[in-house]
Amino acid sequence: VSEVTPHMREIITLQFGHFANYVGAHWWNLQQQTYEQALQHMTREDGDETGMEVNSDITWRSAGSPAVYTPRAIAFDLKGAVGLFHDQIIEKKPAHDDVTTWQGQSQTIVQDAAPTMDGTETYVPNPDSWSQVMFSKLHPKSIYETCDYRHGFDTFDVFSHGLGVFDSSMQARDDIDDRLRFLAEECDSLGGFHVLTETVSAWGGLATRVLEHVRDVFGATSVLTFGISDAPADTVGKPSSSSSHPLNEGLALSMLPSLSSVYVPLHLAPVMDTSGSFSSGNALGAHVASAIDVCTVPSRTYGWEGGAGRMLATLAPLSRMNLAVMGSTYPNALGQPVVGLYESPDMRYFFPLPVPRPHPLYELISLRGALSLPPKQPSLAQPDPHEFLSLYTAGYRPLRREVGIVHQTLSTPRNFPPALMPEALPLWSVGHLQNTPGVHGYLSRVSSGLSKVPKHAFPQYQEPSDAIDWED
């Protein structure tokens, strides 16, 4: 992959898989909440724009008059996965009242509308679809449903089947290309892509083909990829065979990092607790979304020169070492300082880091919200955010470190799980993206295990026959 684009502008987000779309739905809700709260602040301050730190135009598109904002994203899912809420989330064109097509008698049939979710609704542990928890509308070109695989009926659990969705149909390639170009042509200066994809199913294969196409069409643009290796069973439709998961993950890890500027593997098991707070896919999706938001929000602010390109260059100055680990705290939950932020028991990493944990080589630390500390820490009452974070970073020196402070109010949507909505206000959270030797050792073991699997053991992985390079 070529060098990271130095100046990042608009970002296109690609979401592959049902659980990835749960994560995306909550992430868009967080962004919408941030924007609406900033508008309220500006109203209270008589139009003072000092509260508008986050530039929503980086990830949102607007069209029409008055302007309607929708995510600059494409959600890839199986046919029927959006469910009964399909019409609810898709932005519609205005009807033309002056057009008459029938002069005869007509009959009006009134049908109960599907229930809606908005900012006043409460948390639903097991919704029917990710579309049920998403606040904003989506443009019709922001949804791509596979034609040959149906949600809840067909398994989509073989890596090469994901490759085949793109390879075997000219119509599919044209439809995906049309969506990508539609969103890109609206940008003043396309800065790159954010990618959320499941990797233990066929979605890793489709994400691979789409990113290859992105590289062909858009060149060396920046790509930040989050690969989810263990999507919850209640968010994947028809259950699939777990025997194929290691192969799928290994193949995804052998291909997706080389197509990404930075690749962040996400494992959910380390962040699950015994209390059951994150037992459902919806709750875990919110947890992952909140971590992604706090870790990446500095690059979406007006004052962060270089945009997300600067963030990716910090984490991966060398293209051959572009793997990073993500962690975050619960809101208002970073306790007493320890030797390093990476050793704090309050930092929950989406990765099984080794113990003892190695020092990060490169890292980005983010603090989001109005910092406030509990009474048990009187010596740190109302500290400066930079001084506060320095307490967790004084014990080690990485090769490169960036610190992003975003003061704009942190607030969680009302349909977030209770564990992410503490009663104490104001809210703040700390995020950590680190490039550490621990992740490279883990991925080497995954690759080594994949090379020992005989290709004849899983013949379905040879469809199409030239889709996978087993010697790579």
Side-chain angles (χ1 to χ4, degrees):
V1 178
S2 302
E3 293 184 1
V4 175
T5 306
H7 299 290
M8 196 67 129
R9 298 302 177 93
E10 294 96 339
I11 298 295
I12 296 175
T13 300
L14 307 177
Q15 302 165 189
F16 296 89
H18 204 60
F19 179 70
N21 285 320
Y22 267 102
V23 176
H26 284 293
W27 189 53
W28 295 111
N29 289 351
L30 279 164
Q31 293 186 64
Q32 181 172 333
Q33 185 100 348
T34 296
Y35 179 73
E36 291 176 351
Q37 285 209 335
L39 289 180
Q40 293 173 6
H41 174 85
M42 291 169 58
T43 301
R44 291 196 303 269
E45 301 296 332
D46 298 324
D48 180 10
E49 296 188 6
T50 56
M52 188 71 78
E53 283 185 88
V54 180
N55 184 0
S56 298
D57 290 332
I58 290 178
T59 52
W60 293 72
R61 57 178 294 276
S62 62
S65 180
V68 175
Y69 281 84
T70 56
R72 187 179 295 109
I74 304 176
F76 293 83
D77 215 325
L78 301 185
K79 187 174 183 179
V82 181
L84 297 175
F85 301 86
H86 189 279
D87 292 337
Q88 177 182 321
I89 66 170
I90 294 183
E91 170 196 355
K92 293 183 173 63
K93 296 181 179 179
H96 297 282
D97 295 332
D98 56 339
V99 177
T100 302
T101 57
W102 174 252
Q103 299 294 336
Q105 295 182 347
S106 63
Q107 180 183 6
T108 301
I109 300 176
V110 179
Q111 183 177 1
D112 292 339
T116 61
M117 291 287 287
D118 56 36
T120 62
E121 293 290 341
T122 56
Y123 169 62
V124 179
N126 297 293
D128 295 327
S129 171
W130 55 268
S131 60
Q132 187 179 353
V133 302
M134 188 166 181
F135 294 168
S136 65
K137 299 287 186 181
L138 287 173
H139 189 277
K141 290 185 181 291
S142 286
I143 293 181
Y144 180 85
E145 293 183 306
T146 60
C147 296
D148 297 331
Y149 297 91
R150 299 168 299 165
H151 182 74
F153 293 92
D154 302 317
T155 57
F156 195 55
D157 61 349
V158 177
F159 187 89
S160 59
H161 292 176
L163 301 175
V165 168
F166 192 89
D167 293 342
S168 61
S169 170
M170 179 65 73
Q171 183 64 50
R173 293 195 294 273
D174 289 344
D175 287 346
I176 294 172
D177 179 74
D178 176 63
R179 285 161 168 76
L180 290 169
R181 293 181 185 274
F182 170 78
L183 294 176
E185 289 170 359
E186 290 184 329
C187 300
D188 292 332
S189 178
L190 175 63
F193 292 80
H194 283 177
V195 180
L196 300 170
T197 182
E198 300 168 21
T199 59
V200 297
S201 62
W203 290 113
L206 181 56
T208 295
R209 281 294 185 259
V210 173
L211 285 185
E212 289 174 345
H213 184 70
V214 164
R215 289 300 182 197
D216 290 341
V217 175
F218 301 102
T221 188
S222 299
V223 176
L224 172 60
T225 301
F226 296 92
I228 305 167
S229 67
D230 46 0
D234 64 336
T235 62
V236 295
K238 185 176 180 179
S240 60
S241 172
S242 60
S243 62
S244 62
H245 291 181
L247 279 171
N248 292 330
E249 183 181 11
L251 290 167
L253 292 174
S254 70
M255 299 181 183
L256 289 174
S258 63
L259 297 168
S260 307
S261 305
V262 171
Y263 183 83
V264 184
L266 300 181
H267 288 250
L268 305 183
V271 302
M272 296 181 186
D273 54 30
T274 57
S275 65
S277 299
F278 298 108
S279 59
S280 71
N282 184 34
L284 280 168
H287 192 8
V288 176
S290 63
I292 291 176
D293 185 67
V294 71
C295 286
T296 61
V297 70
S299 65
R300 303 196 305 273
T301 58
Y302 288 99
W304 183 275
E305 296 183 3
R310 171 179 158 192
M311 176 184 73
L312 300 183
T314 295
L315 292 170
L318 303 175
S319 60
R320 297 293 295 179
M321 297 179 60
N322 66 336
L323 304 173
V325 173
M326 182 180 73
S328 70
T329 67
Y330 291 160
N332 300 7
L334 188 58
Q336 294 289 346
V338 291
V339 174
L341 184 65
Y342 60 95
E343 292 185 347
S344 171
D346 297 310
M347 287 297 301
R348 297 175 178 266
Y349 290 97
F350 295 79
F351 194 82
L353 285 172
V355 179
R357 297 176 178 180
H359 289 181
L361 298 175
Y362 312 97
E363 67 178 0
L364 172 67
I365 302 173
S366 309
L367 193 153
R368 170 77 187 280
L371 179 62
S372 61
L373 297 176
K376 66 180 180 180
Q377 297 180 358
S379 61
L380 300 177
Q382 297 182 347
D384 175 81
H386 288 278
E387 293 179 357
F388 173 72
L389 290 178
S390 69
L391 299 173
Y392 295 87
T393 57
Y396 65 102
R397 289 182 176 273
L399 298 177
R400 183 180 296 181
R401 173 189 293 149
E402 285 273 9
V403 176
I405 308 294
V406 180
H407 301 280
Q408 189 168 321
T409 303
L410 171 64
S411 178
T412 54
R414 291 185 177 274
N415 64 352
F416 253 41
L420 296 176
M421 298 179 62
E423 296 181 0
L425 296 174
L427 300 181
W428 58 274
S429 183
V430 176
H432 192 204
L433 281 169
Q434 59 167 313
N435 186 328
T436 173
V439 67
H440 296 278
Y442 168 80
L443 295 180
S444 296
R445 291 193 298 272
V446 172
S447 178
S448 175
L450 177 64
S451 65
K452 298 176 182 177
V453 177
K455 64 177 70 176
H456 60 78
F458 293 90
Q460 66 269 40
Y461 281 78
Q462 302 308 302
E463 302 172 6
S465 60
D466 60 347
I468 301 170
D469 182 2
W470 284 78
E471 305 300 327
D472 186 2

